[in-house]
Amino acid sequence: MPWEALTEALEALAPAQQIGVILPNSVPFAALAPFLPQLSLVAIAFPAYADGRGFSLARQIRRADFTGEIRASGPLIADQFAYALSCGFDTIELPEASAARQPVPQWLHARESFSATYQRGYEATERNILDQRRAAKAAGRLAAERA
């Protein structure tokens, strides 16, 4: 369902029914938030791989405790896969031309290539690179003081 038709479609549904929406990555989270309880899928359109607004939107949606599927739709590249997953995306829908250039094995390899992030708050079990560096420096200072 396109973003522009969401309000009308939700009014026509029974209260317990849920639907999915395709929205531009330029939609502010505040505009989407009231609809989240009635959505089972949020597909965020990426007009280009270099337009990262969809990553921020996905992160805001997950932080609002949305448990449905979040899908990135557009010409992303495999190098963005690990970051997309850490932002809260469940699936990536690629145009045929993009999928032909980077087949599934390339995406799976890219997912495993990154073990840490630069941003805080994306991985629940791992510290980000900055925190790891700070901890290493502090441990080095502590070892030097004891020597």
Side-chain angles (χ1 to χ4, degrees):
M1 154 113 16
W3 169 247
E4 296 79 16
L6 181 61
T7 303
E8 186 178 317
L10 288 173
E11 289 172 357
L13 292 178
Q17 288 183 303
Q18 293 190 332
I19 60 173
V21 65
I22 301 167
L23 58 113
N25 66 355
S26 59
V27 170
F29 174 72
L32 175 65
F35 301 108
L36 287 177
Q38 293 176 275
L39 298 174
S40 59
L41 166 70
V42 176
I44 301 172
F46 281 76
Y49 79 91
D51 188 338
R53 293 176 290 177
F55 295 115
S56 300
L57 184 55
R59 191 68 187 140
Q60 290 175 308
I61 293 168
R62 280 291 178 229
R63 285 184 174 160
D65 295 326
F66 180 72
T67 58
E69 179 181 345
I70 303 177
R71 178 180 302 158
S73 180
L76 297 178
I77 59 175
D79 288 349
Q80 294 171 309
F81 192 32
Y83 184 61
L85 294 173
S86 70
C87 287
F89 284 104
D90 299 295
T91 56
I92 309 252
E93 178 183 30
L94 298 172
E96 286 185 36
S98 297
R101 279 192 307 273
Q102 294 186 313
V104 171
Q106 193 169 351
W107 283 80
L108 296 175
H109 176 73
R111 180 186 65 191
E112 303 302 322
S113 296
F114 297 96
S115 60
T117 65
Y118 282 99
Q119 298 83 5
R120 285 189 170 115
Y122 285 87
E123 297 294 328
T125 58
E126 296 288 327
R127 290 184 304 195
N128 66 54
I129 292 170
L130 178 60
D131 289 342
Q132 291 176 15
R133 287 180 180 164
R134 285 185 177 157
K137 277 185 174 182
R141 282 192 299 268
L142 185 59
E145 289 173 4
R146 289 183 179 167

